[in-house]
Amino acid sequence: MNADTVRERLAGLLNGHSFGRNLEILQETGSTNDEALERARTGAPHGTVILALSQTRGRGRMGRAWSSRPGDSLTFSIVLRPESPMREAGRLTLHAGLAAHRALTRETALPYHIKWPNDILWERCKVCGILAESVCSDNRAACVVIGIGCNLNQTDTGFPLELRASARSLAQLTGRTWEMEPIAAAILRELALVIDRPWPEVLAEWKTHCTSIGKPVRIATGGEVIHGVLLDIDGDGALLLETDSGARRRLDSAEIL
Ligand code: BTN
């Protein structure tokens, strides 16, 4: 697969859509989030999309690596310039999760759910992960970069050994191969729609796909593991927990185990 062909196909599917009007396709890079953060620091406009056919140092949440092989994965990042980025960073991560959920549901006709903050799961297996990162600088508007990695065509042995039980590709779930352009275009279109909707509606729809609310959970945060019940997600996208000892905790950076 060649970057020019992907660019032509994706631009054709987006057909002048605001997200992706500024579109860059890289044959190989370390991380599309690093590329997008760099472009954002030098003024890339809202909706800039950087997609790589191969990443050599893909990053996931909580300092983990995100590994992918050429042809197996969709890996791209979007530069967003919300009006109040620091407040909206937590929200945008949920916007992106909802957009990916909607796009994958529609494209594959399979039922997914969302694990807070924005993993897209089929049953208990991860299909798509999202990494949101913020940029602040003195003389330019701050912005948020949303990086999306979606497992398209991995076979059973295509994932690192430690992920084989917990990751799935669309090909494994559907028995056919998937091209990256239609999935990328579907996610970008949904993201633009979701971002334009009132936040309370977005949060309400997001919650309908999150199966952990009201259930016992184990949460890893700041080097500790907390047991409790996931009470709710607050208006800034943070997780509200009642611990087994009865304390209330609000967490905006954590992982449900
Ligand atoms: C996670 O689930 O931990 C988040 C994974 C995010 C991976 C994507 S791939 C495109 C973008 N570039 C990166 O380096 N990471 C994100």
Side-chain angles (χ1 to χ4, degrees), residues 31-33 55 58-61 66 76 119 126 129-130 147-149:
S31 152
T32 58
N33 262 37
Q55 288 191 133
R59 295 188 283 108
R61 292 184 67 242
W66 180 267
F76 68 111
D119 287 351
K126 183 152 157 178
I130 297 173
I148 300 182

Side-chain angles (χ1 to χ4, degrees), residues 57-78:
R57 289 188 309 279
R59 295 188 283 108
R61 292 184 67 242
M62 319 303 272
R64 282 191 295 257
W66 180 267
S67 80
S68 56
R69 294 193 307 205
D72 275 358
S73 289
L74 167 64
T75 52
F76 68 111
S77 303
I78 309 135

Side-chain angles (χ1 to χ4, degrees), residues 4-208:
D4 290 339
T5 312
V6 172
R7 187 177 201 296
E8 203 173 303
R9 286 191 197 166
L10 183 54
L13 289 170
L14 289 169
N15 191 22
H17 196 274
S18 61
F19 279 16
R21 201 173 293 150
N22 195 21
L23 175 64
E24 209 177 321
I25 312 291
L26 305 171
Q27 195 72 35
E28 180 177 287
T29 188
S31 152
T32 58
N33 262 37
D34 289 343
E35 298 279 359
L37 288 164
E38 185 54 36
R39 306 291 188 289
R41 283 189 198 99
T42 52
H46 180 71
T48 295
V49 173
I50 316 281
L51 184 150
L53 306 192
S54 165
Q55 288 191 133
T56 53
R57 289 188 309 279
R59 295 188 283 108
R61 292 184 67 242
M62 319 303 272
R64 282 191 295 257
W66 180 267
S67 80
S68 56
R69 294 193 307 205
D72 275 358
S73 289
L74 167 64
T75 52
F76 68 111
S77 303
I78 309 135
V79 175
L80 298 175
R81 295 189 178 276
E83 275 166 22
S84 42
M86 292 325 288
R87 173 122 212 262
E88 290 188 31
R91 295 181 178 184
L92 281 171
T93 195
L94 269 58
H95 281 93
L98 181 58
H101 183 280
R102 282 177 165 201
L104 293 179
T105 304
R106 188 151 36 74
E107 294 295 312
T108 68
L110 287 173
Y112 301 96
H113 61 272
I114 307 178
K115 183 172 114 173
W116 183 91
N118 51 24
D119 287 351
I120 308 300
L121 305 187
W122 176 83
E123 298 191 345
R124 292 178 64 84
C125 297
K126 183 152 157 178
V127 173
C128 178
I130 297 173
L131 176 66
E133 297 180 293
S134 302
V135 180
C136 281
S137 75
D138 294 341
N139 52 2
R140 288 187 190 276
C143 67
V144 177
V145 163
I146 301 283
I148 300 182
C150 182
N151 301 327
L152 297 181
N153 294 316
Q154 289 92 338
T155 58
D156 293 349
T157 52
F159 292 108
L161 202 53
E162 66 278 13
L163 296 180
R164 283 183 196 165
S166 60
R168 286 293 178 279
S169 67
L170 299 187
Q172 288 174 307
L173 298 178
T174 61
R176 50 159 282 198
T177 54
W178 289 83
E179 292 185 337
M180 65 181 80
E181 299 90 338
I183 302 292
I187 295 175
L188 288 167
R189 284 176 180 280
E190 288 295 347
L191 184 59
L193 288 174
V194 164
I195 281 177
D196 273 351
R197 278 179 50 207
W199 167 242
E201 282 178 25
V202 173
L203 184 57
E205 184 179 335
W206 186 96
K207 286 183 191 178
T208 65

